[in-house]
Amino acid sequence: MDNLETYLTHQNKKRSSSNRTRREEAYERIKDAIRHAELKPGEPLSETRLSKLLGISRTPVREALHQLVQEGLVETAPGQTVTVASRSIQDVLDVVHIRSLLEPELVRLAAESISQAQIETLEGVVIKLEEAAKQHDLAAWAKVDVVFHDIIKEACPNKLLGQTVVQLKNRVHQVANIDTHTNPERLITCTQEHRVIFDAIKAKDSQAAKQAMETHISALTNSLLKRISYR
Amino acid sequence: MDNLETYLTHQNKKRSSSNRTRREEAYERIKDAIRHAELKPGEPLSETRLSKLLGISRTPVREALHQLVQEGLVETAPGQTVTVASRSIQDVLDVVHIRSLLEPELVRLAAESISQAQIETLEGVVIKLEEAAKQHDLAAWAKVDVVFHDIIKEACPNKLLGQTVVQLKNRVHQVANIDTHTNPERLITCTQEHRVIFDAIKAKDSQAAKQAMETHISALTNSLLKRISYR
DNA sequence: CGTAGACAGGTTGTATACATTAAGCTGTGC
DNA sequence: GCACAGCTTAATGTATACAACCTGTCTACG
């Protein structure tokens, strides 16, 4: 707990200027704390305690917590005290399963509507991905990966589809990168899979793009399943 | 606006006892008002005004509005004043498209895990559906339809999948029933489609159940597309 | 000795007061 | 008559005070 307080206080200085409202500030700081496992699953989050901790009054903190509840990162316990949600591997698999239904179609639609400018941007992103993978720079890779999927999302005319996928990913963000983070080999193959997806998009072959994404998520699933057997 | 006030006040008496917290009460009443088009798309929702209208203080009203924002029923306008979200037919089609990706799989998984007790309950529901359809009782049909999908959702081991589908449906609830509501013929065929789905589930034929749901949503999509051409 | 009830502490739910910002209007000056 | 500036108004964002509730413990009584 003491470490947590230090961490959150530290974040304060860094972020206070960039966040517009206190509510957003509270939201991001709590969210970050959960993602960095400073706030551990099952830990009760008292509004009063958090507000003291963050130096923000209860109202914005409370609103931030509500938002996190709706996103599934925290859950309301029987006694109404919200706690940090615990994520099982099954939860991650559930998310990936849904993604396997949505993302191939997302990419297919994107490939049909993507602009030339977006393709060029995307090409740069893929190259950055490949560079990051070669240098085993996980942090950089993860950042660029987000951009990659963001561009595809933007290119998809069904905005709600993109939004839904993002929500699903957020839900397991703190553990989702287990895959590439702990398996250097996956980082390489995963990057190759991205390249295949991009090539199909560039060729405006939407069916191929869809299949490439199916392959990608299938590989991801297998990697996760292997991980289970290690336990 | 005057009608709206009357309506909301009316709802007050009916619901105040059943809702536990003021926040939930505000949430449901505003949501209902939107669904019944008492609050029309584009209409600005002032927290102060709503709180006076509902006889609830700003805090719970504000929280209810935030929840509605996250569910996509209202949106934050540039000036930060939230307004009732407008739903185009394209929005509905977007939702249905995503459902076409998710619900067949939802039913497939449900068919594999459903208990005997749930099957029996579901059978009763299907019969009620058929009765309601014969009597052209739209209100009753819609209610039972919700139960039908609820049971399937419960039977699906991937809880997040069920939750995601429900969220998507909520998003267009105020216009989703356009289909059956304005087309008596669809009510009959739609009921038959439900029967086919149920029969497959009962037979524990998950593949057939999945295909039946695909057919169902496909028919729904076609019905909606016809509707567009009428404009 | 065991159980039931009451009290203490902390928690959330709610109301309200204050701060701040944006917009519209009015009044004045050109 | 038009344009600009300042003010009024009302909105949201924030803080805080109060109420109701639940829990867990301690005490008193059977």
Side-chain angles (χ1 to χ4, degrees):
Chain A
M1 263 304 296
D2 291 328
N3 277 338
L4 161 65
E5 297 181 24
T6 315
Y7 172 71
L8 287 179
T9 310
H10 205 65
Q11 287 283 316
N12 186 7
K13 292 162 192 165
K14 207 169 68 178
R15 301 230 178 199
S16 55
S17 56
S18 60
N19 287 115
R20 284 222 322 284
T21 68
R22 300 249 185 193
R23 179 187 149 211
E24 288 170 18
E25 187 188 337
Y27 168 75
E28 300 215 355
R29 280 168 64 190
I30 298 172
K31 190 170 170 179
D32 279 355
I34 293 176
R35 283 187 171 169
H36 293 79
E38 306 279 341
L39 291 170
K40 289 172 188 173
E43 185 167 345
L45 298 179
S46 150
E47 294 170 3
T48 335
R49 216 193 70 215
L50 277 178
S51 77
K52 281 178 193 164
L53 224 64
L54 299 168
I56 298 174
S57 89
R58 260 188 69 208
T59 311
V61 170
R62 181 181 169 82
E63 289 176 355
L65 284 177
H66 279 135
Q67 191 169 344
L68 290 167
V69 166
Q70 286 202 319
E71 292 178 8
L73 268 73
V74 303
E75 44 199 13
T76 68
Q80 303 296 352
T81 317
V82 309
T83 57
V84 177
S86 56
R87 288 280 167 256
S88 65
I89 293 198
Q90 187 57 51
D91 289 331
V92 179
L93 284 174
D94 282 354
V95 168
V96 173
H97 188 176
I98 302 177
R99 284 178 54 192
S100 78
L101 304 170
L102 298 182
E103 291 204 276
E105 184 69 0
L106 175 74
V107 172
R108 188 182 72 81
L109 293 176
E112 286 179 357
S113 304
I114 196 166
S115 72
Q116 205 57 38
Q118 283 172 319
I119 290 181
E120 282 161 26
T121 313
L122 201 55
E123 182 143 41
V125 169
V126 172
I127 291 169
K128 276 185 197 163
L129 262 185
E130 291 170 338
E131 284 169 1
K134 270 178 197 165
Q135 294 170 9
H136 298 282
D137 187 346
L138 288 171
W141 191 90
K143 255 185 204 170
V144 183
D145 179 55
V146 170
V147 178
F148 180 85
H149 290 283
D150 238 40
I151 295 173
I152 293 177
K153 188 192 75 182
E154 285 304 314
C156 177
N158 188 338
K159 294 302 172 195
L160 184 57
L161 180 52
Q163 196 179 318
T164 305
V165 170
V166 168
Q167 275 179 17
L168 288 169
K169 283 184 182 174
N170 276 339
R171 190 171 272 266
V172 292
H173 193 280
Q174 76 272 38
V175 282
N177 285 340
I178 271 181
D179 182 38
T180 47
H181 279 188
T182 58
N183 192 343
E185 199 180 322
R186 267 296 291 156
L187 193 66
I188 304 293
T189 57
C190 196
T191 308
Q192 288 169 348
E193 287 157 18
H194 281 68
R195 162 61 74 174
V196 176
I197 293 169
F198 167 71
D199 285 344
I201 291 176
K202 188 180 180 184
K204 291 264 183 184
D205 186 343
S206 58
Q207 277 303 324
K210 181 178 177 177
Q211 284 175 13
M213 181 57 89
E214 280 168 358
T215 306
H216 173 48
I217 298 198
S218 176
L220 174 61
T221 307
N222 286 333
S223 172
L224 286 172
L225 286 174
K226 269 189 200 161
R227 200 135 279 291
I228 288 183
S229 61
Y230 286 155
R231 292 176 68 189
Chain B
M1 262 302 297
D2 291 326
N3 277 337
L4 160 65
E5 297 181 23
T6 316
Y7 172 70
L8 288 178
T9 310
H10 205 67
Q11 286 284 315
N12 185 7
K13 293 164 193 165
K14 207 170 69 178
R15 299 228 179 201
S16 55
S17 56
S18 59
N19 287 114
R20 283 223 323 283
T21 69
R22 300 249 186 191
R23 178 187 151 212
E24 288 170 18
E25 187 188 339
Y27 169 75
E28 300 216 354
R29 280 167 63 189
I30 297 172
K31 191 169 169 180
D32 279 356
I34 293 176
R35 284 186 171 172
H36 292 79
E38 306 279 342
L39 292 170
K40 289 173 188 172
E43 186 167 344
L45 299 179
S46 150
E47 295 170 3
T48 334
R49 216 192 71 216
L50 277 177
S51 77
K52 281 178 193 164
L53 223 64
L54 299 168
I56 299 175
S57 91
R58 259 188 67 210
T59 311
V61 169
R62 181 181 168 83
E63 290 175 354
L65 283 178
H66 279 137
Q67 191 169 344
L68 290 167
V69 166
Q70 287 203 320
E71 292 178 6
L73 267 73
V74 303
E75 44 200 13
T76 68
Q80 304 295 350
T81 317
V82 308
T83 57
V84 178
S86 57
R87 289 277 167 258
S88 65
I89 293 198
Q90 187 57 51
D91 289 331
V92 179
L93 284 174
D94 282 355
V95 168
V96 173
H97 188 178
I98 302 176
R99 283 177 57 191
S100 77
L101 303 170
L102 297 182
E103 290 204 277
E105 184 69 0
L106 174 74
V107 171
R108 189 182 72 82
L109 293 176
E112 287 179 357
S113 304
I114 196 167
S115 71
Q116 206 55 40
Q118 283 172 320
I119 290 181
E120 281 162 25
T121 312
L122 201 55
E123 182 143 40
V125 170
V126 172
I127 291 169
K128 276 185 198 162
L129 262 185
E130 291 170 337
E131 284 171 1
K134 269 177 199 166
Q135 294 169 8
H136 298 283
D137 186 346
L138 288 170
W141 191 92
K143 255 185 204 170
V144 182
D145 179 56
V146 170
V147 178
F148 179 86
H149 290 283
D150 238 39
I151 296 173
I152 293 177
K153 190 191 73 182
E154 286 304 314
C156 176
N158 189 338
K159 293 302 172 195
L160 185 57
L161 180 53
Q163 196 178 317
T164 305
V165 170
V166 168
Q167 275 179 16
L168 288 169
K169 283 184 181 174
N170 277 339
R171 190 171 272 266
V172 293
H173 193 280
Q174 77 272 38
V175 281
N177 286 338
I178 271 181
D179 182 37
T180 47
H181 279 188
T182 58
N183 192 343
E185 201 179 321
R186 269 296 291 155
L187 193 66
I188 304 293
T189 57
C190 197
T191 307
Q192 289 168 350
E193 286 157 20
H194 281 68
R195 161 61 74 175
V196 175
I197 293 169
F198 167 72
D199 285 344
I201 291 175
K202 189 179 180 183
K204 290 261 184 187
D205 186 343
S206 58
Q207 278 302 326
K210 180 178 178 178
Q211 283 174 14
M213 182 57 89
E214 280 168 359
T215 306
H216 173 48
I217 298 197
S218 176
L220 174 61
T221 307
N222 286 334
S223 171
L224 287 172
L225 286 174
K226 267 189 201 165
R227 202 133 279 291
I228 288 183
S229 60
Y230 285 155
R231 292 176 69 190

